[in-house]
Amino acid sequence: MADADPRDPSLAVAAMRAAFDVQHAASRNGGIPSAAARRDRLDRLKQLVLVNADAFADAISADFGTRSRTETKLLEIIPTLSAIKHARKAIPRWMKPERRRVDATFQPAKAWVRHEPLGVIGIISPWNYPLQLALSPLVDALAAGNRVMLKPSELTPAFSALLESTIAAQFAADEVTVVTGGTETGKAFSSLPFDHLLFTGSTAVGREVYKAAAANLVPVTLELGGKSPAMLFDDYSIEKAARSIAFGKFVNAGQTCIAPDYVLVPRGKAQALAEAIFAQTRHSYPQVAGNADYSGVISERHRLRLTGAIEAARDAGATILAHEDEGTTAAGKIGPTIVLGAPAEGLLLGEEIFGPILPIIPYDSEDEAIAFMLARERPLALYAFSDRSSDHWRLLDRVISGGVTLNGTLMHIAQESLPFGGVGASGIGAYHGEEGFKRFSHARAIHKIGAVNVFERMGPPWGKTAAFVARMLTR
């Protein structure tokens, strides 16, 4: 559903509210969708993705200036198809009522929980992985039997327009609809009285979404970010760690919410790790400016923020390893950049970087490294590299994060059997697979009285039997 008239935001907001009303009425009057109906919706979504895979990759590349089409297929299209396959197979099991124990006091009776659709789900998706972060929660919401309104980012206009048209071709307006528009449309979208609202994006915008949703008592799932650390223990191969860290950090030019934001390394190995990661980037991306496999930075504003952070670090005396070539800036890119000695008060150590810049921080003891992580808000992801399981367990026991990959990066998000979500400042709630089904469902408690209701038979008026039972139950 496009803005009715970009010159008159009030008309766009009115059209958006009308679309919501259609879905709200359908969710209240249409009953609970069967497993077959939910699978049909997922089948149509699968067909949408398969038929338009190349067009989606082209649109996303156009929005970024350059974005590897293979990268889009591997990191967005295939995970979305995997999520559909996983949910489609599991829907009957997820929908099956869960039997619960009934205390002896209330026997004979039965109790169970039914997971039922909430109604209308709002999804606000970001620009960095525009397809996967729009459609992955959509899969979970449809599997749970909901109607869905999607608001993709205004920073990916080509993709957003294509998503709008393809969704409209596959789904009725009372099933799934897409709302496009800028900041004002986004604010109005956040203020709709959804039954649940999921937002993926920056912490700053997430706070505003949370406030808008609170006015209508709308429950939220917030997928934010933060400074996700990677820690290298002294026993682990520098070359192996460098390969994993370089992949996780520089894919999509660092514009990944769970990318390693900084690396903690034993002091004597900091220079060697920096050089190994740098060598890996040159192997993965032999050139930058003309390389179709290396992503552009999404906008000029983001590029200026990142280049300013590099210059501030250089001015503060940091050592900068920058893999760039002629034409990088003109191509809208920033080459893979590694920083040793980043200033403590600068952007690189004070904010989520969200770009292809990696600070490396030496530590003298494990306690010092952990203290550095604990001094910051809880991150969306944590990475640890060690061949000793005891190192992993000590770190997991002391540093809390949204999710974890051990001896690698990013891979926990690709597991449909694992929940994905933040904790504290990095987010509220989790989805993916069964956790996503439950996130967008109401767990409805049901208790069925048996042939005799013993509790009622005791009174009132409360007599000796009730007094005896009360005494027994308070022992």
Side-chain angles (χ1 to χ4, degrees):
M1 186 204 75
D3 286 351
D5 185 344
R7 295 164 298 179
D8 189 344
S10 64
L11 293 178
V13 171
M16 181 171 57
R17 178 64 202 224
F20 170 83
D21 290 341
V22 167
Q23 291 205 354
H24 186 268
S27 72
R28 270 48 179 180
N29 300 322
I32 294 177
S34 65
R38 301 178 196 203
R39 282 176 158 176
D40 171 67
R41 290 170 183 171
L42 291 180
D43 287 343
R44 282 183 275 150
L45 183 61
K46 176 183 177 180
Q47 188 67 12
L48 180 156
V49 174
L50 286 173
V51 169
N52 297 285
D54 289 332
F56 279 131
D58 289 344
I60 292 170
S61 183
D63 285 329
F64 274 78
T66 302
R67 163 87 175 265
S68 168
R69 288 155 177 81
T70 300
E71 195 166 283
T72 294
K73 291 181 179 179
L74 289 173
L75 300 185
E76 300 209 61
I77 291 169
I78 290 174
T80 300
L81 293 172
S82 177
I84 293 170
K85 180 180 179 181
H86 180 81
R88 192 187 188 284
K89 180 180 179 181
I91 281 173
R93 175 171 55 87
W94 292 344
M95 290 178 66
K96 188 176 180 180
E98 297 177 5
R99 291 290 297 271
R100 298 295 174 90
R101 177 181 175 274
V102 177
D103 193 83
T105 307
F106 304 99
Q107 292 287 6
K110 295 179 180 180
W112 65 93
V113 172
R114 247 173 51 132
H115 288 94
E116 301 175 350
L118 290 172
V120 183
I121 307 300
I123 297 173
I124 302 176
S125 57
W127 52 263
N128 59 323
Y129 291 92
L131 184 139
Q132 194 267 340
L133 292 175
L135 299 191
S136 178
L138 175 61
V139 170
D140 294 345
L142 293 178
N146 296 284
R147 319 285 171 150
V148 183
M149 293 182 68
L150 280 166
K151 169 62 177 73
S153 173
E154 65 274 14
L155 293 181
T156 53
F159 166 79
S160 297
L162 181 59
L163 182 67
E164 180 185 19
S165 63
T166 53
I167 288 286
Q170 285 285 2
F171 293 93
D174 65 357
E175 293 178 310
V176 184
T177 191
V178 175
V179 175
T180 58
T183 302
E184 292 307 312
T185 301
K187 289 179 180 178
F189 189 92
S190 303
S191 300
L192 290 172
F194 292 110
D195 294 295
H196 195 101
L197 177 61
L198 181 142
F199 167 82
T200 304
S202 71
T203 301
V205 178
R207 293 180 192 277
E208 297 305 312
V209 169
Y210 202 177
K211 290 178 184 177
N216 290 309
L217 297 179
V218 173
V220 299
T221 298
L222 301 178
E223 302 300 349
L224 307 175
K227 299 191 71 61
S228 296
M231 182 173 175
L232 179 68
F233 287 83
D234 60 6
D235 70 310
Y236 200 78
S237 162
I238 287 178
E239 287 70 27
K240 287 171 63 178
R243 184 165 57 249
S244 294
I245 292 167
F247 171 80
K249 180 62 181 182
F250 298 113
V251 70
N252 200 30
Q255 297 164 117
T256 304
C257 59
I258 58 169
D261 199 82
Y262 60 92
V263 182
L264 292 158
V265 57
R267 186 171 298 278
K269 297 184 175 183
Q271 185 69 38
L273 180 64
E275 292 173 357
I277 294 174
F278 192 65
Q280 183 63 44
T281 67
R282 295 180 71 88
H283 171 76
S284 299
Y285 310 105
Q287 58 175 322
V288 175
N291 191 344
D293 282 340
Y294 188 75
S295 294
V297 178
I298 191 65
S299 71
E300 181 65 16
R301 179 172 66 86
H302 286 78
R303 286 193 291 275
L304 291 175
R305 172 181 173 272
L306 294 170
T307 55
I310 294 171
E311 291 310 309
R314 181 177 282 112
D315 291 345
T319 298
I320 310 291
L321 302 179
H323 175 33
E324 294 197 338
D325 44 45
E326 186 177 354
T328 298
T329 301
K333 299 181 179 182
I334 296 173
T337 303
I338 299 167
V339 180
L340 285 158
E345 65 282 355
L347 180 150
L348 297 182
L349 297 187
E351 300 177 19
E352 182 180 8
I353 296 170
F354 220 75
I357 309 168
L358 181 67
I360 292 182
I361 303 164
Y363 66 85
D364 294 310
S365 69
E366 182 179 313
D367 285 343
E368 179 188 348
I370 289 174
F372 187 90
M373 290 183 268
L374 293 179
R376 286 149 179 80
E377 298 282 5
R378 288 174 169 173
L380 186 57
L382 172 66
Y383 305 108
F385 295 87
S386 176
D387 287 323
R388 299 181 296 246
S389 294
S390 57
D391 292 337
H392 292 153
W393 285 113
R394 282 198 313 277
L395 187 61
L396 292 174
D397 286 343
R398 297 182 66 184
V399 180
I400 303 297
S401 68
V404 180
T405 296
L406 300 174
N407 296 343
T409 58
L410 309 187
M411 291 300 105
H412 63 281
I413 196 175
Q415 314 310 311
E416 286 301 319
S417 61
L418 291 178
F420 172 71
V423 59
S426 62
I428 298 172
Y431 67 105
H432 277 201
E434 187 170 5
E435 276 76 13
F437 172 86
K438 291 182 176 179
R439 174 65 48 183
F440 299 124
S441 297
H442 168 56
R444 193 178 189 185
I446 303 171
H447 183 83
K448 183 180 180 181
I449 303 297
V452 179
N453 190 333
V454 175
F455 206 82
E456 287 181 0
R457 292 291 182 89
M458 288 190 298
W462 306 112
K464 291 182 179 180
T465 301
F468 172 77
V469 171
R471 286 195 303 273
M472 294 298 294
L473 292 177
T474 52
R475 288 183 178 180

